[in-house]
Amino acid sequence: MLSILAERRQGTLPRLVAAPIPPWAIVAGKAIGSFVLGVTSLTIIIVASTALLGASWGNPLGVAALVVAAVMSAMGITAMITTLARTEEQAGGWNAIVAVTLGILGGSFLDLSQAPPLLSRLSLLTPHAWFLDGLNALAVPGASAAGVAVPVAALLAFAVVTGGIGLARSGSLVSAR
C-alpha cells in the first residue's frame, strides 16, 4: 500500500488507473508482491538462524503456517493504516508507531511472563503475542503443527479484519485525491 502512495506522488498511478486493468488488480498486484517479500524475508531469517546459529524453530509445517499468517496479519495492519494517511511519510510514521506499540504490548521487546495479568491479557490484542505463542507451542519437543492452530487462527483474524478495512478503503488510494 505504501508503494501506491509513492506511485501517486510520482505520477505513475494515474497511468496505471488509465490502463485497461481494474483498480483492484493494482491493489492485488501490490499485495502479492508484499506477501512474497514478507514470506521470503522471514524464510531467510529462519534458514540463516538455523544454519548459522543452530536455532531450532520446531515443526516446519507449523513454522510455515505461522509465517504465512504473520505476514498476512502485518499486511492487513499496514494496509489499514496506510489508507488513513495522505502521504508516504505520514503512512510510514504511523506504521512505525503502530508496529513498535504492538511489539511492546505483544511481548516482542519485554518478557510478559512476569507482567501483571492485565498486561498479559492486553497482549492478546496484538498479532505479536499470538506469533510468539505459536513459536512457544512449537518449542515443546515433539510438538506438531496442529499446536499452532489457535495462534494461526488469531493471526488470520487480524489479517481479515484489518485487511478488510484496508481493502474497503483502498479505493481512496487508487482514486485521485
Side-chain angles (χ1 to χ4, degrees):
M1 289 296 189
L2 287 170
S3 64
I4 292 176
L5 289 173
E7 293 204 26
R8 186 172 60 197
R9 179 183 49 79
Q10 295 166 349
T12 55
L13 185 60
R15 292 183 213 147
L16 286 172
V17 172
I21 55 173
W24 67 263
I26 297 168
V27 174
K30 299 290 185 184
I32 291 168
S34 294
F35 178 78
V36 169
L37 181 63
V39 169
T40 302
S41 298
L42 282 174
T43 301
I44 289 169
I45 289 170
I46 291 166
V47 170
S49 65
T50 300
L52 300 174
L53 304 173
S56 175
W57 291 82
N59 183 296
L61 291 177
V63 173
L66 276 173
V67 164
V68 167
V71 167
M72 291 177 71
S73 177
M75 287 173 56
I77 292 169
T78 299
M80 182 182 72
I81 294 166
T82 301
T83 61
L84 299 172
R86 294 229 177 246
T87 65
E88 292 170 78
E89 294 80 16
Q90 189 178 49
W94 289 355
N95 275 298
I97 290 168
V98 169
V100 170
T101 302
L102 290 176
I104 291 169
L105 289 175
S108 296
F109 295 98
L110 307 166
D111 180 15
L112 296 180
S113 64
Q114 302 298 318
L118 175 62
L119 187 56
S120 294
R121 284 193 295 278
L122 278 177
S123 74
L124 297 178
L125 297 175
T126 72
H128 299 70
W130 289 104
F131 183 74
L132 292 173
D133 188 51
L135 290 177
N136 286 335
L138 292 173
V140 176
S144 72
V148 297
V150 172
V152 166
L155 288 165
L156 292 175
F158 278 103
V160 168
V161 171
T162 59
I165 293 168
L167 187 59
R169 294 186 45 82
S170 66
S172 67
L173 286 180
V174 177
S175 66
R177 267 197 207 169

